[in-house]
Amino acid sequence: RYGGYANLPTVDERAPYLGLTSPTDEKATYSPSKRGGPEDISREMVKNDDVGSIQRIPIRMARSAAQTLHEFVFGFINPAVNAVIYDTTALYTAGKLNYGTAALGTDGVALAAARLRMKKQAMKDNSKRLGLRAGFLVVSSDLEQIAYGLLTPAYAANNQTPTFLQQVGITPIVVDYWTDATDWAIVSRPEDL
């Protein structure tokens, strides 16, 4: 996380420029780990494989690798986990303006409030609002229909004019392994943060 400069000071005619206070930064780290394992195949297994299950082993292993990576990434933002992060506090806390308890409803009130909290996130050092744009609404399977209804114009409705939330460009992402039916999160656009 990088800090920002304060507003630039006025410089009088023929006056020297004064030094600026350099912003600071914080480093977020995690320790990657090696994953994997061998699969044993015998000559007899190949010889007796009349349904072709041996040739599907690489495909199943690739799916397992993709699933492992998927769960690792979405585990960082899973509200049910709410892990302690680099600043030694839980990811979601009221003091960070990133925590809410409202259920994701079809009226969009909770999503709009979360989006506004994201926009109000402040830059380190100068406390200026970042104006982060919500890019993704991450939901469990139980909230998939609500998410698409909130974000897709004319979804199950006769609205020829998209709602505000349908116009701001938030994309729903469904994380099927999240088991808490009420968990959801918004994530900024990658170009913003």
Side-chain angles (χ1 to χ4, degrees), residues 24 95 124 168 190:
T24 60
K124 182 177 168 30
V168 294

Side-chain angles (χ1 to χ4, degrees), residues 101-114 137 139 142-151 163 165-166 181-184:
T101 57
L104 184 65
T106 57
D107 60 4
V109 172
L111 178 57
L137 171 60
V139 297
D142 299 280
L143 296 174
E144 180 177 16
Q145 186 171 358
I146 292 173
Y148 279 91
L150 288 172
L151 302 174
T163 66
L165 287 173
Q166 292 169 344
T182 61
D183 282 350
W184 62 280

